[in-house]
Amino acid sequence: VRITRISERSVRLRAGVANAVVNFSQHTVSLVAVHTDALVDGRPVVGLAFDSIGRFAQGGILRDRMIPRVLGADPDDLVDADGWLSPAKLLARAMTDEKPGGHGDRAAAAAALELAAWDAVAKAREEPAYRTIARHFGRTAASPDVPVYAAGGYYYPGADDQELRRELRSYAEHGYRAFKIKIGGAALATDLRRIETAIEAAGDGAALSVDANGRLDRDAALAYAAALAPYGLRWFEEPGDPLDFALNQDVIGAFAGPVATGENLFSHADVRNLLRHGGLRPRRDILQMDAGLSYGITEYARMIDEVEAQGFDWAWMYPHGGHLLNLHIVAALGLGGCEAYPGVFQPFGGFATEELARPGFARPGESPGFGLEDKAALRPEIAELLAATPDPSTSRAGRR
Amino acid sequence: VRITRISERSVRLRAGVANAVVNFSQHTVSLVAVHTDALVDGRPVVGLAFDSIGRFAQGGILRDRMIPRVLGADPDDLVDADGWLSPAKLLARAMTDEKPGGHGDRAAAAAALELAAWDAVAKAREEPAYRTIARHFGRTAASPDVPVYAAGGYYYPGADDQELRRELRSYAEHGYRAFKIKIGGAALATDLRRIETAIEAAGDGAALSVDANGRLDRDAALAYAAALAPYGLRWFEEPGDPLDFALNQDVIGAFAGPVATGENLFSHADVRNLLRHGGLRPRRDILQMDAGLSYGITEYARMIDEVEAQGFDWAWMYPHGGHLLNLHIVAALGLGGCEAYPGVFQPFGGFATEELARPGFARPGESPGFGLEDKAALRPEIAELLAATPDPSTSRAGRR
């Protein structure tokens, strides 16, 4: 198998929502296509993926550094012994001459490439990506059904508690049994009122998680921890700065319920430090690293190795990012569950259909690869990417 | 003062050298100009800077995210109470809607903008940047003379020990009294032979530092620590992965001499973790964070606050990156010293002149700003940047 071309475009999110830190109206995502000369039914296999949601499109890093490195490689150096494209080797090549440390934007850029390679391999094997991934890592998913929760409850412009109640009830009507809302973007008293409204709609505090998106300082995080304790929430997510491991430890010391974090750590080296220094409790606290922001599944597997080495269990891993890439990854590896964004962060948020397989569970489709083509909102974006005139610098032929 | 335009170009390093991890022949740096309507001698002030060396040009992040945010700001929101452009406010604006954590490429992109703002302010005040910076942070540098050391000893293609000896002797002839060479890119025995050659040329082990660039795993790092101990070296730099704080602690436990690290940490949050968990000893170990890779001087000052809060002394701070930006920063803040790259990493490496002010010391010039225009190798690059036809998206007028 040879890569013939790699194309990329920046797609703006259709989202008028904000969390405690970020307004998403200007957010973009990189949609990437890895074109190969493998043929299925006479047509070349094209691997598709994107760099999750929340850390922007990475066209500069892809075009200036990573795509030229991959296209400049000897094609034989990018395949496994069995002749399939190797996502790990593609990643290593994309990272040539990159220094250690500094795991930020480039981790998202590399992830889009690495995940597109998985999509290409699954399509060449004519199977859904979750089967390809599970086989590669020696997992046999008994059932591809994935526990999902509806992440919403953003600070919509002008939103009031009635709207929050309506939003959560709508998720419940669509089959969701667990929910998450944003906190930390308003005064504590206002947030507690929102939480009580949400618990009323959810039916039980144990069905509701709250997410501060890393906004709170130490005093505020401890004040929230004390105020949240009586509600018996499902989890308290990212109380403080994602790199302030001592703060995380202090919050855990003051909060008996589960604390969730990790979505803003993009390497196994950062996750190792969180596990060493963050006070997390095995089989209680939740880990939310997202392969699509973290160099892809190759590095995510290194994170899992670290999780296991430090006595934690991957059934407590719930990746950030409610979309088809993570639905397949969670199904393949038997992780705890997957975030879902019913109706928001389009065209990337959500799965192929808004319908759940059964209450509380989503199921990846059986189309080859991640099935991005099955998602109606993504189809025109994919068509535009594939129809674009190739930039000579992004094709092997053009670089000769 | 209003920003009228921000321009950027990617400049390739002229460097045929490699360290243990990275070959620099494909490396690029972003050169940035912040054009203002402030006039000095009837000509508009243009602030210039670049994103240090080693983490690539960041044209994508600058053009796609940061420059539009800055140009879209109300100009009044980018100035201090005294009417000068505020580097801190410009940085905050450039970081709008960016999530916490993930301090990588964007930290370099933001740094180029923030440092260009400092250059603009210093030029508007008609003084060298080190004076502007020192005043802002309440420092009064007794002497602008900065201790420097010659960082070289790379694995040049085909280099042998004769060439290493010649290289260090040439630095000594140019007035350098301290030196650094790369290790970890060859077998330990080979590196020890290179170290002995270098000590012979340097005259004393205490004049020589060695830099493994984060390449060594735990066993190798401890083996190097044991083997290096007898030489009484100036410091042992980045033995292992820059984020493996426990490894750093273990190396320090096995190595009485100073250990240096920090050049691959790009935020005060990462530095806080290094200081908390890395085993560093105040007034012994060396901190090498680089403002040009780390959101600029605003964030570097937060790092210094963290250094002081944890009982360390900024006289043990030696920024990575031997160039004019850091020479001014070290002089302004009275840090321990500055790296120098005599003759390499052109056009950015080195100072305005290859001549030292006196043996072992370099002195920033008295031209306004960082004095990048005084460096012959940079002048044509600056001229090309300023002569380029403005991209409408990078000017205020074009965005209306």
Side-chain angles (χ1 to χ4, degrees):
Chain A
V1 175
R2 296 188 171 222
I3 296 172
T4 55
R5 179 156 75 92
I6 301 176
S7 45
E8 178 273 344
R9 57 184 285 261
S10 172
V11 178
R12 190 172 290 269
L13 288 186
R14 297 194 289 272
V17 300
N19 66 27
V21 181
V22 168
N23 180 307
F24 287 96
S25 64
Q26 301 299 312
H27 254 68
T28 53
V29 170
S30 280
L31 182 64
V32 167
V34 171
H35 303 251
T36 75
D37 63 2
L39 297 178
V40 170
D41 296 337
R43 297 179 58 190
V45 168
V46 179
L48 294 169
F50 55 91
D51 62 336
S52 195
I53 291 170
R55 307 290 304 205
F56 298 99
Q58 299 294 346
I61 294 173
L62 285 166
R63 284 190 300 270
D64 295 345
R65 283 146 58 186
M66 294 185 174
I67 293 175
R69 289 172 189 152
V70 172
L71 294 179
D74 180 337
D76 294 339
D77 290 343
L78 299 179
V79 295
D80 274 333
D82 57 11
W84 302 105
L85 196 60
S86 164
K89 289 182 177 176
L90 183 143
L91 173 64
R93 178 73 194 190
M95 288 292 289
T96 307
D97 290 334
E98 297 276 333
K99 286 188 172 185
H103 305 294
D105 295 272
R106 78 176 182 198
L113 288 177
E114 201 260 12
L115 290 164
W118 284 104
D119 189 61
V121 174
K123 284 171 173 163
R125 299 181 76 129
E126 301 181 65
E127 64 187 5
Y130 77 85
R131 289 193 200 278
T132 310
I133 299 164
R135 184 188 310 108
H136 184 91
F137 291 101
R139 310 283 287 186
T140 46
S143 154
D145 285 7
V146 168
V148 290
Y149 66 95
Y154 284 82
Y155 294 98
Y156 289 86
D160 60 12
D161 291 358
Q162 289 303 327
E163 198 164 328
L164 181 65
R165 183 180 290 115
R166 263 196 303 274
E167 180 188 342
L168 266 64
R169 285 191 178 153
S170 160
Y171 299 152
E173 284 160 16
H174 282 84
Y176 287 93
R177 296 293 175 261
F179 312 89
K180 188 169 80 182
I181 68 169
K182 299 296 177 183
I183 60 168
L188 175 55
T190 306
D191 273 339
L192 292 179
R193 205 188 61 225
R194 295 174 72 248
I195 288 168
E196 288 168 15
T197 301
I199 289 175
E200 196 191 307
D204 186 355
L208 182 71
S209 303
V210 296
D211 182 2
N213 284 97
R215 179 204 174 91
L216 307 174
D217 65 19
R218 197 173 177 287
D219 290 346
L222 293 173
Y224 267 80
L228 296 178
Y231 295 106
L233 297 172
R234 190 165 187 239
W235 70 63
F236 177 16
E237 181 168 329
E238 273 208 323
D241 186 283
L243 289 166
D244 193 340
F245 304 134
L247 184 156
N248 198 72
Q249 184 168 37
D250 290 347
V251 168
I252 284 175
F255 187 73
V259 168
T261 190
E263 74 175 69
N264 288 305
L265 302 183
F266 306 136
S267 71
H268 77 283
D270 286 291
V271 170
R272 188 169 54 198
N273 286 330
L274 170 65
L275 298 174
R276 281 175 176 164
H277 309 299
L280 297 175
R281 300 153 295 188
R283 296 171 188 272
R284 170 157 289 268
D285 298 310
I286 305 295
L287 293 162
Q288 303 182 297
M289 293 78 73
D290 180 350
L293 301 175
S294 311
Y295 303 103
I297 299 171
T298 301
E299 180 73 9
Y300 193 77
R302 289 185 197 122
M303 293 179 180
I304 291 180
D305 289 345
E306 202 57 51
V307 163
E308 290 203 304
Q310 296 202 37
F312 289 78
D313 188 321
W314 54 16
W316 274 255
M317 296 175 80
Y318 286 73
H320 162 270
H323 48 62
L324 280 163
L325 306 176
N326 279 330
L327 187 64
H328 279 264
I329 292 169
V330 171
L333 301 177
L335 307 179
C338 191
E339 190 163 16
Y341 304 130
V344 295
F345 296 130
Q346 293 305 312
F348 297 98
F351 311 127
T353 164
E354 295 268 321
E355 299 296 305
L356 294 182
R358 53 189 170 100
F361 291 83
R363 187 180 301 158
E366 291 296 317
S367 298
F370 291 112
L372 301 190
E373 298 88 343
D374 293 342
K375 189 172 194 307
L378 266 177
R379 266 195 299 266
E381 308 294 348
I382 294 169
E384 191 168 333
L385 173 68
L386 300 183
T389 308
D391 174 344
S393 72
T394 64
S395 72
R396 277 189 74 80
R399 289 174 52 80
R400 278 202 198 105
Chain B
V1 175
R2 296 186 171 224
I3 296 173
T4 54
R5 179 157 75 92
I6 301 176
S7 46
E8 177 272 345
R9 57 184 287 261
S10 171
V11 178
R12 189 172 290 271
L13 288 186
R14 298 194 291 272
V17 299
N19 66 27
V21 181
V22 170
N23 180 308
F24 287 94
S25 64
Q26 302 298 311
H27 254 68
T28 54
V29 170
S30 280
L31 183 63
V32 166
V34 171
H35 304 250
T36 76
D37 63 2
L39 297 177
V40 170
D41 295 338
R43 300 178 57 188
V45 168
V46 179
L48 294 169
F50 55 91
D51 62 336
S52 195
I53 290 170
R55 308 290 302 206
F56 297 101
Q58 299 293 347
I61 294 173
L62 285 165
R63 285 191 300 270
D64 296 346
R65 285 146 59 186
M66 295 185 173
I67 292 174
R69 290 173 188 152
V70 172
L71 295 178
D74 180 337
D76 294 340
D77 290 342
L78 299 179
V79 295
D80 275 332
D82 58 9
W84 302 105
L85 196 61
S86 163
K89 289 182 177 176
L90 183 144
L91 173 65
R93 178 73 194 188
M95 288 291 290
T96 306
D97 289 334
E98 297 276 335
K99 286 190 172 185
H103 305 292
D105 294 273
R106 77 176 182 197
L113 288 176
E114 201 259 12
L115 290 164
W118 284 105
D119 190 60
V121 175
K123 283 171 173 165
R125 299 181 76 130
E126 302 181 64
E127 64 187 6
Y130 78 85
R131 288 192 200 277
T132 310
I133 299 164
R135 184 188 310 108
H136 184 91
F137 291 100
R139 309 282 288 188
T140 47
S143 153
D145 285 6
V146 168
V148 290
Y149 66 94
Y154 284 82
Y155 294 97
Y156 288 86
D160 60 12
D161 291 358
Q162 289 303 327
E163 199 164 328
L164 180 64
R165 182 179 292 117
R166 262 196 303 274
E167 180 189 342
L168 265 64
R169 285 192 178 154
S170 158
Y171 297 152
E173 283 160 18
H174 282 83
Y176 287 93
R177 295 291 175 263
F179 313 89
K180 187 169 84 182
I181 68 169
K182 299 297 178 184
I183 60 169
L188 175 53
T190 306
D191 273 339
L192 292 180
R193 204 188 61 224
R194 295 175 71 248
I195 288 169
E196 288 168 15
T197 300
I199 290 176
E200 195 191 306
D204 187 356
L208 181 72
S209 303
V210 296
D211 182 2
N213 284 98
R215 179 204 174 90
L216 307 174
D217 65 18
R218 197 174 177 286
D219 290 345
L222 293 173
Y224 268 80
L228 296 178
Y231 295 108
L233 296 172
R234 190 166 186 237
W235 71 63
F236 177 15
E237 182 168 328
E238 274 208 322
D241 186 282
L243 289 166
D244 193 341
F245 304 135
L247 184 155
N248 198 71
Q249 184 168 37
D250 290 347
V251 168
I252 284 175
F255 188 72
V259 168
T261 190
E263 73 175 71
N264 289 304
L265 303 182
F266 305 136
S267 71
H268 76 283
D270 286 291
V271 170
R272 188 170 53 198
N273 286 330
L274 170 66
L275 297 174
R276 281 174 177 164
H277 309 298
L280 297 175
R281 300 154 294 188
R283 298 173 187 270
R284 167 158 292 268
D285 297 310
I286 305 296
L287 292 163
Q288 303 182 297
M289 292 78 73
D290 180 350
L293 302 175
S294 310
Y295 304 103
I297 300 170
T298 301
E299 180 73 10
Y300 194 78
R302 291 185 197 122
M303 293 179 180
I304 291 178
D305 288 345
E306 203 55 53
V307 163
E308 290 202 305
Q310 296 202 36
F312 289 78
D313 188 321
W314 54 16
W316 273 256
M317 296 175 80
Y318 286 74
H320 161 270
H323 47 62
L324 279 162
L325 306 176
N326 278 331
L327 186 64
H328 279 264
I329 292 169
V330 171
L333 301 177
L335 307 179
C338 191
E339 192 165 14
Y341 304 130
V344 294
F345 295 131
Q346 294 306 310
F348 297 97
F351 311 125
T353 163
E354 296 267 320
E355 299 295 305
L356 294 182
R358 52 190 170 101
F361 292 83
R363 187 180 301 159
E366 292 296 317
S367 298
F370 291 112
L372 301 190
E373 298 88 342
D374 293 342
K375 189 171 194 307
L378 266 176
R379 266 196 298 267
E381 308 293 347
I382 294 168
E384 191 167 332
L385 173 67
L386 300 183
T389 308
D391 173 346
S393 72
T394 63
S395 73
R396 277 189 73 80
R399 291 175 48 84
R400 279 204 197 100

